[in-house]
Amino acid sequence: MIKVVSFKICPFVQRVTALLEAKKIPYEIEYISLKDKPQWFLEISPHGQVPVLITENGQPLFESDAIVEYLEDAYPALAPDLSPEQRAVNRAWSYLASKNYLVQCSAQRSADKATLSERSQKLEKAFAAVEAVLEQGEGETPYFNSATIGMVDIAWLPLLHRAAIIEQRSCHDFLAGYPKVKAWQQTLLATGLAELSVSADFEQAFCDFYLSGETFLGGRSESCGDGRADQACSSGSCC
Ligand SMILES: N[C@@H](CCC(=O)N[C@@H](CS)C(=O)NCC(=O)O)C(=O)O
C-alpha cells in the first residue's frame, strides 16, 4: 500500500492526500516530527521535507508537484482526455497555488496587523488572478475548469480550506473581495475532501499554531463574536 510521510498541518501534504482521497486510492500515513526528523526519513527525503510518498513498489518520491503528477499518471486520471496544452495550463495554475502555501502560512503567523497586511499582498495577487479566470468562465463549470474535480482544484484546496478555518475562527477573510473564489471555495468544501485529507485533530493543531496568543489572528479569535471563534490556543509547531 502507498505510504505518505506527513506533518499534520503541512499544506503540501494535504495536496497529496486530497488527490489520493479524490481518486479513492488506499494509503497509510505516518506523521513525523519536523523538529526531530527520524534517520529513515532523512535517508529518503533529500531535502528533509514532507511530503514523501512511498509507492506500492517501495520507491520514495519527494516534492509534492512530482508526487501529484505521479499519482495522476499512475492511477486512473482525474481528467483523462486533456491535451498537452490543457495539462500545461493546469500545471501552471496548480503551481500558482503551491507557491503560495508558505506565503499563506507566513501571513497566518503574523504578529500584528501591518505584517498580516504586508504578507497577504502576494496571496491576494494569486486570488485576484484566479478571480479573473473564474469570472471569464462564469457558470461554465462548477470546478476550476472542469465538470468534475480536477488537478487545479486539488492544488488550491489547502489554501481555501485554511482560509475557511481562519475566517470561521478569527473573522479575517483572506477572500474578501473575491466572490468567485469564495463560491469556488464553497464548492470544494462541499465535496468533503478538505476533512478527508487531514487528520481528525487537524483543526485543533492548526489553531494551536496559527491562532495562538503569539499571532494577530489568534488575538482576533478571542474577540470574534457570534460563537465562531472560541479559543486562543497555545503554541505548537509547524512548517
Ligand atoms: N517544495 C516542497 C515543499 C515542502 C515543504 O515545505 N514541507 C515543509 C512542511 S509544510 C517541511 O517539510 N519543512 C521541514 C524543513 O524544511 O525542514 C514540496 O512541494 O513538497
Side-chain angles (χ1 to χ4, degrees):
M1 190 188 287
I2 282 178
K3 181 173 179 174
V4 178
V5 186
S6 174
F7 181 71
K8 215 161 264 181
I9 58 174
C10 174
F12 299 92
V13 172
Q14 191 183 10
R15 180 182 177 196
V16 169
T17 49
L19 183 56
L20 287 161
E21 292 288 346
K23 291 189 174 220
K24 301 195 186 330
I25 302 170
Y27 62 98
E28 57 186 335
I29 196 147
E30 177 156 356
Y31 297 100
I32 60 162
S33 161
L34 293 178
K35 285 187 181 147
D36 183 20
K37 298 171 186 165
Q39 186 56 34
W40 63 263
F41 169 70
L42 293 171
E43 282 163 16
I44 58 173
S45 176
H47 51 18
Q49 294 186 327
V50 293
V52 166
L53 179 144
I54 304 171
T55 68
E56 292 183 84
N57 297 327
Q59 172 68 49
L61 303 175
F62 64 103
E63 281 297 332
S64 56
D65 288 333
I67 295 171
V68 294
E69 285 180 20
Y70 161 76
L71 291 173
E72 184 64 347
D73 289 344
Y75 293 85
L78 281 190
D81 299 321
L82 296 184
S83 67
E85 203 171 65
Q86 289 168 321
R87 280 166 65 96
V89 167
N90 282 358
R91 275 195 204 107
W93 283 103
S94 300
Y95 291 158
L96 186 63
S98 64
K99 275 185 197 152
N100 277 285
Y101 290 167
L102 293 181
V103 177
Q104 186 184 42
C105 289
S106 141
Q108 291 164 167
R109 282 291 293 172
S110 302
D112 54 59
K113 193 174 181 179
T115 310
L116 173 64
S117 158
E118 189 198 317
R119 291 181 180 174
S120 298
Q121 279 176 16
K122 191 173 168 201
L123 192 56
E124 289 197 10
K125 273 191 193 159
F127 287 138
V130 178
E131 179 78 8
V133 171
L134 292 173
E135 221 161 53
Q136 279 166 21
E138 170 121 54
E140 280 174 25
T141 59
Y143 294 100
F144 181 76
N145 58 7
S146 51
T148 53
I149 197 158
M151 296 296 274
V152 181
D153 302 291
I154 297 289
W156 284 81
L157 182 76
L159 290 173
L160 299 177
H161 182 199
R162 284 157 173 74
I165 296 172
I166 291 287
E167 187 192 0
Q168 193 189 26
R169 296 245 180 189
S170 76
C171 309
H172 177 79
D173 188 2
F174 282 114
L175 303 182
Y178 306 110
K180 309 281 177 228
V181 181
K182 218 164 165 64
W184 182 35
Q185 175 196 46
Q186 295 311 309
T187 301
L188 290 181
L189 294 179
T191 64
L193 276 180
E195 284 80 20
L196 286 172
S197 55
V198 293
S199 64
D201 60 349
F202 166 80
E203 195 159 328
Q204 186 60 50
F206 177 84
C207 161
D208 283 351
F209 192 65
Y210 291 111
L211 298 180
S212 74
E214 296 166 4
T215 68
F216 174 70
L217 292 172
R220 282 173 65 99
S221 77
E222 283 177 315
S223 59
C224 180
D226 71 15
R228 288 194 289 173
D230 48 9
Q231 51 205 314
C233 313
S234 57
S235 61
S237 61
C238 170
C239 327

